[in-house]
Amino acid sequence: LTVNAYVAGEGPLDFSTFAVADTELTAIGKSLMEATTRRSKIVGAFNSGPARIIDQTAFYGNAAITSLELPSVTNLAAQSFYDCSAVTNAVLNPNVRFIGASAFAGPDLFALSPSEFPELEEIGGSLFYRNSGAASLSLVFSVVAPKLRRIGTGCFQARGGCPTLARFEAPLLEN
């Protein structure tokens, strides 16, 4: 099941208990929140629950989400949380395989976890693009990804400075 529409309401957007009969949620569709952003009253945390895919621009511009929990997501498409300016913390699935370009461009992340991604194969470019300098310089994180083969241009660059990579291990990374 892919959720492609959302009726704006109050309270956190939480898919952790989302169920439609016996159907498992597998994806959160493209531009899910884009049309509702201006009138949405969603605030606080977002939990993707069992969803494995968050499609391109799914939450583009939602300035009310403050934290992300993506426990089952293995594919985080380009610009998934682009310009979600209030997000300060993101907890990813350690088994994420793909993080698209500009997935976190705009949020001023102060915390990104975990640090070990045994299945991560690709990170798109400009991952943190448009993040303010102060938050970018405060973000200290590690990446240990034994299957990582590709990193896009400017992946760890942000406006006003780059986050600090305390540790970076990717033995299969292509030049």
Side-chain angles (χ1 to χ4, degrees), residues 7-89:
V7 178
E10 295 195 27
L13 181 58
D14 187 343
F15 285 104
S16 63
T17 57
F18 186 88
V20 177
D22 292 325
T23 304
E24 182 178 315
L25 176 68
T26 57
I28 296 173
K30 182 176 180 180
S31 304
L32 172 68
M33 292 301 298
E34 193 168 27
T36 64
T37 300
R38 304 293 179 246
R39 64 182 186 274
S40 175
K41 294 181 181 177
I42 294 170
V43 295
F46 167 73
N47 186 318
S48 64
R52 292 186 302 273
I53 298 168
I54 296 184
D55 211 342
Q56 184 174 345
T57 67
F59 295 94
Y60 188 105
N62 187 315
I65 298 174
T66 57
S67 66
L68 304 171
E69 290 184 38
L70 311 174
S72 301
V73 173
T74 58
N75 187 326
L76 190 60
Q79 300 180 338
S80 301
F81 295 97
Y82 186 92
D83 208 18
C84 293
S85 57
V87 173
T88 58
N89 141 11

Side-chain angles (χ1 to χ4, degrees), residues 93-96 114-121 144-148:
N93 174 359
N95 293 315
V96 65
S115 61
E116 296 193 17
F117 300 96
E119 302 299 323
L120 185 61
E121 297 171 7
V144 176
K147 293 184 179 180
L148 185 64

Side-chain angles (χ1 to χ4, degrees), residues 12 45 74 89 102 107 113 140 145 150 152:
T74 58
N89 141 11
S102 302
S113 62
V140 177
R150 185 170 176 276

